[in-house]
Amino acid sequence: MAFDDLSKKLEIADLDFDTLKNSFKDFLRGQDEFKDFNFEGSGMNYLLDLLAYNTHYQSFYTNMVANEMFLDTALKRDSVVSLAKHLGYTPNSVRAATATVNLTGSSETTILRGTSIKGTVGSVTYNFVPIDDISIVATGDAGLFGADSVKIYEGTLETTSFVVDYTDPSQKFVLPENADTSTLTVRVQNSLTDSTGYSTKWQLASDLNEVKDTDKVYHLQEIENNRFEIFFGDNIVGEKPSDGNVIVVQYVLTNGPAANGVGRNDLNESGIRSFTLSSYTVDTIASAAGGSEAETLRSIKYHAPRSYAAQDRSVTASDFSTMLVRDYADIESAYVWGGQDNDPPEYGKIFVALKPRVGLTLDDATKLEIINDIKRKRTIVSIIPEIKDPDPIYLRFNIKTIFNQNKTNLGKGGIEDLIKVQVRSYIDNELEKFGEDLYYSKLTGLLDGVSDSVVGNEMKIELEKRITPSFVRAGNYFCKFNNPIFHPHDGHIPVISSTGFNYKDDNNTVFTGYLEDDGKGTMRIFRYDSENEKEVVYANMGTVNYASGDIEIKEFRPVGIEGGTQISIYMKPSDQ
């Protein structure tokens, strides 16, 4: 049969079931044999259903197979992970929230790893553990013993053992879901009755070019259901455990980001202690942070090809940032730039800004370790690496939420708590990395979804920078907001403000002063008089560039700051 007539051609542009079936009917009606056929009232209708179902199923299956074959279009996690594996990239597992504390007791002893330290926020209590033994030693104060800067991880320290059995070809050494692989320790002992070898920790293999046949290394790969598998070498690249050896692994089983923020109030208000351990005083040095879910599909798709392109070398800025995030579990984000981009340029250098998972800056020992690692293995001899601390921009939210009291029993306080949790979650997951932007509409949409009772919200955002001035000598201070400042016209009301500080006027009288702009590009200091009216004391204390968001404060020397050592400077951005 010839189908030269265009009206008799089968249309296949749309593969929806109903469209397919109608397309089949239209095709058959174009044939002389079925011109007046009643398809709905005949057995032919069932045949068309089967044909449409089969065509729809096959098109869906073919489309899924085609998409899942490529990293850019894959949607299933197993497919994305498998494709990333071809590029030599292992995604990050779930990460435990980590806090840093000081412990003080009354005797010299050792706190064993895995000891439970309770952390409470609101009415919820989380379990934290150290992953190494802690030595409690004399502090220098009479009768006091302690340990400083102890890292504790949210979750429980679990131990799992596997007996190597090469007669079982299907044997795998698999960690449970929610195991934080950054806390993983792997040991291999001779047998169930012989613990020889247990004291040696096997290391995670990174550069296979440096792994010898006798090196005690292990490898990790993600498998199905967000779990990770441990596997070993073959006595050519890494040592291979013997039949009957016992693999002993320890790891923290965690709730991920749930405990982020435990201890935050300890740093803002004296006398509060969120962490407790029997017979010890636990003081928070850095509140719990860095907890996260397993690496997202978006992140895997971004980092996998870049990691492959770097080929375990560090030449370009992208090579460095990918390597640092991959190899250092404590680093959440990295930003790297060449010295030629500095002002003034510093040729022959690379600069690295690192955002740790806990706190804002890395300690000096970790910085030195990273610098030495870069020099030794990661870059060419003539390039000098230098680590710079990031300069954070803080956010202040003023959120007005409207909710229907008849649709919830939480009340005003309960809704406020949900809003705060959602804002913090958005910041933790979306903003605490270099190169990320805050999207106003996305955040307001998330806030509307915290409860069915929420009708809407109105949000205003200010940006904040913090300076630590000297009380000894006058200095110049720069605040780079990197966002335009709201400035509709010259002479507009001040849009820059600050927290209070102690300052001296021309009569050498100490007063409580505040910084603001004059609406024309100049910074000034004012105070409140007895009638609570503003009185400008110093009219020229620096400059403001409203277009670039740069503020310079000149010859500034306060004599004190009530309640701290930092002054916060706020500005209203031109774009929310």
Side-chain angles (χ1 to χ4, degrees):
M1 181 184 294
F3 298 111
D4 294 331
D5 188 348
L6 291 177
S7 65
K8 296 181 180 181
K9 288 186 177 180
L10 184 62
E11 296 292 334
I12 57 171
D14 195 333
L15 298 177
D16 176 71
F17 170 79
D18 292 325
T19 306
L20 280 169
K21 185 175 179 181
N22 290 330
S23 178
F24 292 149
K25 290 180 182 179
D26 292 341
F27 170 74
L28 291 174
R29 288 191 183 104
Q31 316 305 317
D32 293 338
E33 296 86 346
F34 299 100
K35 184 178 297 183
D36 298 318
F37 201 83
N38 181 5
F39 293 99
E40 299 301 328
S42 69
M44 180 79 73
N45 187 54
Y46 296 103
L47 297 177
L48 289 175
D49 279 344
L50 288 173
L51 184 59
Y53 270 124
N54 185 67
T55 306
H56 176 71
Y57 177 83
Q58 289 295 331
S59 63
F60 176 80
Y61 176 77
T62 304
N63 182 64
M64 286 295 294
V65 169
N67 279 311
E68 297 301 312
M69 288 174 64
F70 301 97
L71 187 62
D72 287 341
T73 54
L75 296 176
K76 295 174 62 179
R77 184 175 184 88
D78 288 351
S79 300
V80 173
V81 169
S82 180
L83 292 167
K85 191 185 304 180
H86 298 162
L87 301 176
Y89 183 79
T90 302
N92 290 329
S93 70
V94 61
R95 291 289 190 254
T98 308
T100 305
V101 298
N102 288 345
L103 301 175
T104 306
S106 58
S107 62
E108 187 170 339
T109 185
T110 298
I111 298 176
L112 299 179
R113 60 181 181 270
T115 298
S116 174
I117 299 175
K118 300 299 182 182
T120 302
V121 55
S123 59
V124 182
T125 299
Y126 296 94
N127 192 72
F128 286 77
V129 294
I131 60 174
D132 294 303
D133 294 343
I134 305 169
S135 297
I136 304 297
V137 298
T139 62
D141 295 330
L144 290 182
F145 300 82
D148 292 338
S149 300
V150 176
K151 282 190 176 183
I152 53 176
Y153 299 76
E154 186 276 324
T156 56
L157 188 63
E158 303 288 340
T159 301
T160 304
S161 300
F162 307 92
V163 178
V164 178
D165 182 7
Y166 290 121
T167 63
D168 181 4
S170 64
Q171 185 181 43
K172 292 183 178 181
F173 311 129
V174 179
L175 303 176
E177 192 176 355
N178 291 336
D180 181 353
T181 59
S182 70
T183 65
L184 180 65
T185 59
V186 177
R187 306 169 190 269
V188 179
Q189 66 182 49
N190 280 357
S191 68
L192 291 171
T193 57
D194 182 0
S195 62
T196 303
Y198 178 83
S199 60
T200 302
K201 290 183 181 180
W202 288 46
Q203 302 300 315
L204 177 63
S206 55
D207 187 354
L208 293 185
N209 294 319
E210 297 183 357
V211 178
K212 303 180 182 65
D213 57 347
T214 57
D215 286 347
K216 298 182 184 300
V217 297
Y218 67 92
H219 308 267
L220 271 178
Q221 65 179 6
E222 184 176 335
I223 56 175
E224 67 277 358
N225 300 325
N226 287 12
R227 297 181 300 165
F228 281 79
E229 177 190 359
I230 300 168
F231 60 100
F232 299 88
D234 55 2
N235 287 332
I236 298 174
V237 180
E239 183 176 327
K240 178 181 179 180
S242 302
D243 204 22
N245 283 172
V246 179
I247 313 297
V248 182
V249 295
Q250 282 190 327
Y251 49 86
V252 172
L253 209 58
T254 181
N255 294 302
N260 285 339
V262 176
R264 183 181 287 125
N265 291 335
D266 300 23
L267 305 176
N268 301 328
E269 301 178 41
S270 61
I272 296 180
R273 290 190 172 93
S274 298
F275 295 99
T276 57
L277 175 61
S278 178
S279 303
Y280 291 90
T281 299
V282 186
D283 293 307
T284 304
I285 303 303
S287 59
S292 63
E293 301 291 352
E295 186 171 359
T296 63
L297 297 187
R298 174 187 173 189
S299 177
I300 297 172
K301 290 180 180 182
Y302 177 84
H303 284 108
R306 287 160 178 80
S307 176
Y308 177 75
Q311 292 290 307
D312 211 34
R313 70 187 187 282
S314 297
V315 177
T316 67
S318 177
D319 293 344
F320 276 100
S321 58
T322 300
M323 177 271 296
L324 289 166
V325 174
R326 182 197 67 189
D327 290 352
Y328 295 92
D330 290 340
I331 295 175
E332 184 175 17
S333 183
Y335 183 76
V336 182
W337 68 99
Q340 71 277 2
D341 296 325
N342 261 18
D343 185 18
E346 295 185 53
Y347 298 104
K349 279 189 173 184
I350 58 159
F351 294 91
V352 182
L354 301 174
K355 165 63 175 67
R357 294 186 180 276
V358 180
L360 294 174
T361 60
L362 294 169
D363 58 77
D364 291 339
T366 303
K367 290 179 184 177
L368 182 61
E369 177 189 348
I370 293 173
I371 289 294
N372 289 336
D373 185 49
I374 292 174
K375 288 179 178 179
R376 185 173 62 252
K377 297 189 299 184
R378 305 297 182 185
T379 191
I380 57 180
V381 176
S382 60
I383 299 298
I384 301 172
E386 185 174 324
I387 293 180
K388 295 287 189 180
D389 289 333
D391 183 18
I393 298 176
Y394 300 90
L395 298 169
R396 300 181 79 212
F397 295 93
N398 186 347
I399 302 171
K400 179 181 178 182
T401 304
I402 304 171
F403 70 99
N404 187 340
Q405 293 182 341
N406 297 324
K407 290 186 177 182
T408 181
N409 57 2
L410 292 176
K412 178 182 176 182
I415 296 296
E416 284 181 352
D417 290 341
L418 291 178
I419 293 292
K420 290 176 181 177
V421 168
Q422 183 61 73
V423 170
R424 286 170 180 162
S425 175
Y426 177 80
I427 291 173
D428 288 342
N429 297 326
E430 302 289 340
L431 299 183
E432 291 197 344
K433 293 182 180 179
F434 295 107
E436 299 293 342
D437 295 317
L438 184 151
Y439 294 100
Y440 182 89
S441 59
K442 182 176 181 178
L443 180 54
T444 54
L446 291 172
L447 297 182
D448 283 343
V450 299
S451 169
D452 292 338
S453 64
V454 173
V455 178
N457 69 85
E458 178 183 323
M459 180 170 62
K460 296 179 181 179
I461 302 172
E462 286 186 328
L463 304 186
E464 174 188 349
K465 298 286 285 187
R466 298 171 186 173
I467 62 173
T468 305
S470 169
F471 302 145
V472 178
R473 60 181 64 87
N476 296 340
Y477 300 90
F478 299 88
C479 293
K480 289 183 173 292
F481 281 98
N482 299 313
N483 287 271
I485 301 172
F486 181 72
H487 185 62
H489 58 83
D490 276 351
H492 188 70
I493 62 173
V495 292
I496 297 170
S497 60
S498 78
T499 52
F501 49 85
N502 299 326
Y503 216 82
K504 287 184 179 181
D505 61 17
D506 290 336
N507 298 320
N508 216 29
T509 301
V510 177
F511 64 93
T512 300
Y514 305 88
L515 288 163
E516 69 172 11
D517 67 303
D518 65 354
K520 298 178 181 180
T522 301
M523 293 296 295
R524 63 192 183 188
I525 294 177
F526 73 90
R527 63 185 171 190
Y528 291 101
D529 62 19
S530 58
E531 297 181 357
N532 206 31
E533 297 290 333
K534 282 185 179 181
E535 176 189 353
V536 176
V537 182
Y538 295 105
N540 188 6
M541 290 299 299
T543 59
V544 183
N545 187 323
Y546 294 105
S548 65
D550 293 344
I551 299 173
E552 182 180 6
I553 305 168
K554 298 179 179 179
E555 294 298 309
F556 183 60
R557 183 195 169 187
V559 295
I561 300 172
E562 295 180 2
T565 59
Q566 290 186 317
I567 297 173
S568 293
I569 297 175
Y570 312 114
M571 77 85 158
K572 180 180 179 181
S574 64
D575 185 358
Q576 288 281 294

